[in-house]
Every structure is written in structure tokens, then in C-alpha cells.
Amino acid sequence: MTDKMTPLEIMQKLISFPTVSSESNLPLVEWVEEYLGSHGIVSHCYTDPDQPKAALFAHVGPQVEGAVVLSGHTDVVPVEGQAWDSDPFTVIERDGKYFGRGTCDMKGFDALAIWALVEAQTVGVNRPLQLALSYDEEVGCTGAPPMIEAMQPILPKGSAVIVGEPSMMKAVTGHKGGYGYSTHVQGFEVHSSLVHTGVSAIMQAAKLIDWTNTTNAENWAKEPDAISGMFEPPWTTLHVGVIEGGTAQNITAKDCRFSLDMRVLPTENAASWRDAYLQRVRDVESEMQAIHPDTKIVVEQIFDVPGLKPEENGEAESLARSITGDNGSHVVSYGTEAGQFQQAGYSAVVCGPGDIAQAHQPNEYVTVAQFNAGHDFMKTLVQGLAG
Ligand SMILES: [Zn+2]
């Protein structure tokens, strides 16, 4: 058995692996597996079939259902083009802060979770504790769904998931879902003087984009219910962030591509928003094809991050509240893997050290006070599982 490491030592180790989403996370996962193994904890991995990455999950305590699951992602955002005052992959303590890429988002929490697992194994717990470390969170939360699917036949099902994204250790019970689409409108080129015989992909795309304006206006005008009212803004939003198309002033554009993202209230059905968009796409497409049959619109889904819906008497929320003493209601505007756990039938909450404002920034940090608050949280959690 290797010596037990402190949460800080574990964080220092995790941050030394430059697990930017474009790179492999296998060295980090292998290290965690080895460290847990040295304390008698068996790790299971889900290995991505297409890239050198893996998710890791582990269980401590009796082989029964009802575990508390501590979940975090292992990937971090790039540091290129950012002005750092120190090596991003070395933790530096200065002015009451730990600086380093991932200290806040979210290897600080990962370290605390690993610490808690070893602590639970050492003291012995009556209620099990699980760890779930994903990858590719920063590139559209695509790593958690296969991990959650892989965990279920192997580990007894947990009943409360704490996703430790930075929330200043507040229990966050809701966020909107995020859905991204890429739309390629394929028109028909003619000289612009004969516009009635051509199909301008740009002008057709404009109809779809205007649908997003109209829909936003309609949503804005709705009276929000109690849960929607917690969000800013309290309605589902649509947004077109990128557009390109056309070749010349006097040619009807053959191609136009644009991105669309939808931020859907967790109380609303994301599939019905997608269907409403696709219906509009089909309508515009038939108008195009009435002019020229060799035209079409291709829509591709780019990302799909389900929202987190505040649960009524949610187990994860009450657990987090009982430990933090926080009784406020909190929702956030960023997406997390908590919605994906909830979609898979787990009670889930977001609660972790640090401020989201520091995530993805140059000189990213978590304050020593927040990190220690996270440590206190884990101590209380493990005591509760043991008692
Ligand atoms: Zn994160």
C-alpha cells in the first residue's frame, strides 16, 4: 500500500497530466487506477473505441445499491493563446489560491473525490461510495453517456450523484439543456438577374434564421412557471452564432452553412424543439425544391447535453444540502454531466469547489478556502456513510 496522499497532493498529480480534450487521458486514468489499487480499490474502465481515452469508475463499501456517486471530468480546456504567469500544469500556491489548469474545472474536485474514496475504504462505510471520472466533457459532454451506460451492469446502482463542477460548494439543482445543430442549405446557382429560376442558399437560410428570431420573441412573451422563473432568461433561447455562404454579388448562393444552438429549459422537451426546427426546415426545403429539384437542406446534430431539472425532494440535493448547510435554490447557465446522470435515472446535483468564472481562464485557480471547504464536505460525507 502506498502512503495516503492529501487532496492537495492528489490535485498536484492530476494537474501534472496535460489532459486537454484533444489529448489522451490514459496516463491520468492509469495513475488513478494504480493509486486506488494500492489501497485495495478495484477500478473499472470504459475505453473509447475511437481514441486513446478512458473513463474510470470504482465502488467502495458493501456491494449494495444506494451509493453516493462522486463524478467529475478528467479533461481540461487548452492553454494555447492564454497568458499564464506560471506553468499551467504545475500547481502553484500564491495569495491564498491554487493556480493551474483544472484546479477549478475540475481536477480539484476529482482530487477530493479520489481522496474520499480512499478515506471511505480506510475507515469502512455502511453505505457505498462510488467514483466516476469521465472525459470529453469540454467538447460537448460526449464522454459521460457511454461511461454511465458502462457503469450500470458493473457497479450496484448509486442513488445520489454529485457532479463537482465549480459551484462555490452550493447545491445547484438545475441547468438548461444545450443542443447544437449545423445546417447546410444547398441552393442552385444562376445569374442574379434570373433570381426566379435560381435558389439562393443564403436567402433560404435567412428564413430559418428568422424562425429563430420569431421563436425567441414568442418564448420571451410567455409567462414563466416557478421552475422556469429561476433561470436567466426564464425561457428557451435559440441562437445562430456562425454563418457562411455565397461566392459573388451576382450569383444566387449555392451553399450556406450556419450553426444553431438551443438552450432549452429543463422543464421543456428538447426533442419537440428539434422537431419544430426540422419541420420548418422541411417547409423551406419544399419551397426550394418547387423552384429547382436539385436543392436540399442537411441538418446535423453537433451536441446534445440534456438539462438538469430540479427534482422534487431529490436525494442528491438533500444530501448536498445536509452537508453544506446551504438551503438556497440555485440554477446555473452552464451545462454539466448532471443532466446526463439524471436522464439515466439517477438523482443528481452539481456541487463543487471554486467559481465558474475562473474556469477556462488564463491563471485559472481555486481558492485555498474553497478547496478546504470541499475537503470538509468530503470528510462529512464519509463520516455520514460510515455512521
Ligand atoms: Zn467542467
Side-chain angles (χ1 to χ4, degrees), residues 53 114 283 286:
K53 294 179 185 175
I114 292 166
D283 292 347
S286 41

Side-chain angles (χ1 to χ4, degrees), residues 217-281:
E218 286 167 8
N219 286 349
W220 199 344
K222 285 180 198 160
E223 194 59 46
D225 61 22
I227 291 179
S228 312
M230 296 165 75
F231 291 88
E232 172 60 30
W235 37 281
T236 291
T237 57
L238 310 182
H239 174 251
V240 176
V242 178
I243 185 168
E244 61 172 12
T247 54
Q249 169 123 15
N250 58 358
I251 302 174
T252 57
K254 187 169 187 321
D255 295 288
C256 181
R257 292 182 176 81
F258 65 91
S259 72
L260 166 64
D261 78 51
M262 301 186 174
R263 302 285 154 174
V264 178
L265 287 169
T267 47
E268 293 181 353
N269 182 347
S272 62
W273 282 109
R274 179 201 61 210
D275 292 347
Y277 178 58
L278 293 180
Q279 183 56 53
R280 185 70 191 123
V281 165

Side-chain angles (χ1 to χ4, degrees), residues 37-103:
S38 76
H39 292 279
I41 302 170
V42 178
S43 295
H44 306 267
C45 287
Y46 165 80
T47 307
D48 192 291
D50 302 322
Q51 44 177 358
K53 294 179 185 175
L56 177 148
F57 44 93
H59 177 104
V60 162
Q63 288 292 319
V64 295
E65 297 196 345
V68 173
V69 184
L70 301 174
S71 184
H73 58 84
T74 59
D75 58 322
V76 293
V77 295
V79 297
E80 272 73 45
Q82 294 189 335
W84 282 73
D85 297 333
S86 57
D87 173 13
F89 300 107
T90 302
V91 176
I92 304 283
E93 182 182 352
R94 189 169 17 100
D95 306 328
K97 296 164 183 166
Y98 296 125
F99 291 89
R101 172 56 87 222
T103 46

Side-chain angles (χ1 to χ4, degrees), residues 129-260:
L129 183 66
Q130 293 178 354
L131 173 71
L133 297 178
S134 71
Y135 59 91
D136 279 358
E137 192 272 350
E138 299 291 4
V139 288
C141 291
T142 52
M147 173 185 75
I148 295 167
E149 204 183 310
M151 282 169 70
Q152 304 208 40
I154 296 175
L155 304 186
K157 183 148 185 176
S159 62
V161 180
I162 298 171
V163 174
E165 290 284 351
S167 74
M168 295 298 282
M169 296 311 297
K170 299 260 189 288
V172 168
T173 58
H175 60 70
K176 289 182 181 177
Y179 306 87
Y181 300 91
S182 155
T183 302
H184 181 189
V185 181
Q186 300 174 29
F188 185 72
E189 279 180 320
V190 295
H191 190 272
S192 61
S193 60
L194 298 171
V195 68
H196 64 296
T197 61
V199 177
S200 162
I202 293 174
M203 293 166 78
Q204 299 299 329
K207 295 178 184 172
L208 296 174
I209 295 168
D210 196 50
W211 175 83
T212 69
N213 286 322
T214 318
T215 306
N216 278 339
E218 286 167 8
N219 286 349
W220 199 344
K222 285 180 198 160
E223 194 59 46
D225 61 22
I227 291 179
S228 312
M230 296 165 75
F231 291 88
E232 172 60 30
W235 37 281
T236 291
T237 57
L238 310 182
H239 174 251
V240 176
V242 178
I243 185 168
E244 61 172 12
T247 54
Q249 169 123 15
N250 58 358
I251 302 174
T252 57
K254 187 169 187 321
D255 295 288
C256 181
R257 292 182 176 81
F258 65 91
S259 72
L260 166 64

